[in-house]
Amino acid sequence: MAFPVILLALLVFSHCGYSQRSPSPGYYPSSRVPTSPYDRDFRTQWGFQHQRREHDITTLWLDKASGSGFKSIRPYISGYFGASIKLQSGYTAGVDTSFFLSNHQEHPGDHDEVDIEFLGTTPGKPYSLQTNVFVRGSGDRNVIGREMKFNLWFDPTQDFHHYAILWNPNQVVFYVDDVPIRTYDRKNEAIFPARPMWVYGSIWDASDWATENGRIKADYRYQPFVAQYRNFKLAGCTADRSNSCRPPSAAPTGNRGLSQQQMGAMAWAQRNFLVYNYCHDPKRDHTQTPEC
């Protein structure tokens, strides 16, 4: 019976897309940014009893009582923001583990946000990494999400991997282990985030929508749901230093866009692992997303 078990394991491994290796992007922005100590740059925002720090790892967990989240001390108007994250294996449906930029507390109902979210799953199915951009909108007013969802080319529960957002006046770039997976360009001032934002991380119950559009909910028989963060990278222009700060570059060519090698790596990621693109959704009203 050993052969069928091994074959099944290989099929699951292949189905989840973990058999591929990413091409080199040729430029590694995470290596150019020093690690930011959690205690210097962040504060626990909520769920104080559901968070702990041991050595260089910050652990958040969700159970039936609460989740947890943290927030940067300073707001930024541009920068490179990253963290190495390890997710929980097994049943995690309904759970949202996130690392994102936002000003939702300062502009409730009218905020900007740039998201990296890991949407929980069931055993045998891969996590979805959802990227999103909100510009002056949130759930209590007019929602205009710009979601693009990806599977990953590795198992995010087996080790830490680095996820990052680079935001400068011209572009937002989402990275996975320095491979750019998505860009969002400034084509129109009205649809590009430009107000100061803080850096957040959290784990919370998003059963209403996270897994198969809310069909599968969080099941607290499997609690606690755990996420680990380390190797935080914050290199940005804070809101009070806007006149003297140069925003970081997305590429070796400066702020003129990604290099040809980076574009090739991004095309590989989108060709093989992109599973949802809001611009291609026929159910969306694309008069609200002119960038498409």
Side-chain angles (χ1 to χ4, degrees):
M1 296 296 291
F3 177 74
V5 171
I6 293 172
L7 179 60
L8 178 61
L10 290 173
L11 287 172
V12 170
F13 184 80
S14 176
H15 172 72
C16 291
Y18 301 150
S19 58
Q20 299 195 45
R21 302 185 71 175
S22 63
S24 169
Y27 181 73
Y28 300 87
S30 68
S31 68
R32 297 170 175 263
V33 178
T35 298
S36 300
Y38 180 96
D39 290 333
R40 185 191 70 190
D41 292 320
F42 294 98
R43 292 290 182 268
T44 302
Q45 186 189 22
W46 62 283
F48 289 81
Q49 302 303 316
H50 290 69
Q51 184 179 139
R52 69 171 179 269
R53 289 188 295 283
E54 295 178 328
H55 305 295
D56 66 335
I57 297 176
T58 298
T59 301
L60 311 183
W61 64 92
L62 166 71
D63 60 25
K64 203 166 186 177
S66 179
S68 187
F70 56 82
K71 178 184 179 181
S72 65
I73 295 173
R74 290 173 291 276
Y76 297 86
I77 59 165
S78 64
Y80 176 92
F81 312 98
S84 295
I85 302 171
K86 183 178 179 183
L87 303 174
Q88 179 166 311
S89 61
Y91 189 104
T92 57
V95 178
D96 183 308
T97 302
S98 63
F99 185 76
F100 63 103
L101 311 178
S102 183
N103 51 34
H104 64 276
Q105 292 181 296
E106 288 64 37
H107 304 284
D110 188 33
H111 76 275
D112 310 292
E113 190 164 308
V114 180
D115 294 331
I116 291 176
E117 298 175 284
F118 301 94
L119 308 183
T121 187
T122 55
K125 294 184 179 181
Y127 270 89
S128 292
L129 185 158
Q130 176 168 280
T131 63
N132 204 352
V133 178
F134 289 96
V135 182
R136 297 182 183 271
S138 73
D140 50 357
R141 288 195 186 173
N142 186 27
V143 177
I144 305 176
R146 295 171 170 84
E147 304 91 343
M148 290 177 67
K149 294 181 184 180
F150 298 80
N151 293 335
L152 294 166
W153 50 94
F154 52 82
D155 185 346
T157 72
Q158 294 301 302
D159 204 351
F160 286 89
H161 290 268
H162 200 73
Y163 308 92
I165 298 165
L166 189 141
W167 169 43
N168 63 40
N170 303 313
Q171 190 177 56
V172 174
V173 184
F174 298 86
Y175 297 91
V176 176
D177 287 337
D178 288 311
V179 174
I181 61 169
R182 176 188 180 182
T183 59
Y184 182 81
D185 297 330
R186 183 173 186 160
K187 297 179 180 179
N188 182 326
E189 286 188 9
I191 55 171
F192 191 84
R195 295 180 294 180
M197 291 191 282
W198 284 254
V199 186
Y200 291 84
S202 63
I203 186 169
W204 56 288
D205 187 333
S207 288
D208 288 348
W209 61 272
T211 306
E212 298 188 16
N213 294 317
R215 187 178 71 84
I216 306 178
K217 312 293 186 183
D219 187 339
Y220 288 99
R221 292 178 299 175
Y222 299 97
Q223 71 177 27
F225 303 104
V226 178
Q228 294 179 297
Y229 297 73
R230 72 178 187 189
N231 194 26
F232 294 98
K233 305 267 186 173
L234 275 67
C237 298
T238 56
D240 58 355
R241 294 180 55 209
S242 58
N243 293 329
S244 60
C245 181
R246 182 179 178 182
S249 172
T253 54
N255 289 325
R256 292 174 292 179
L258 300 179
S259 70
Q260 185 174 356
Q261 189 169 352
Q262 287 176 301
M263 291 293 289
M266 183 170 69
W268 170 86
Q270 294 190 359
R271 183 171 60 251
N272 290 286
F273 301 99
L274 179 64
V275 295
Y276 176 81
N277 184 340
Y278 72 105
C279 283
H280 300 159
D281 187 342
K283 298 178 182 179
R284 296 289 297 267
D285 177 3
H286 292 295
T287 63
Q288 297 183 321
T289 55
E291 70 277 5
C292 291

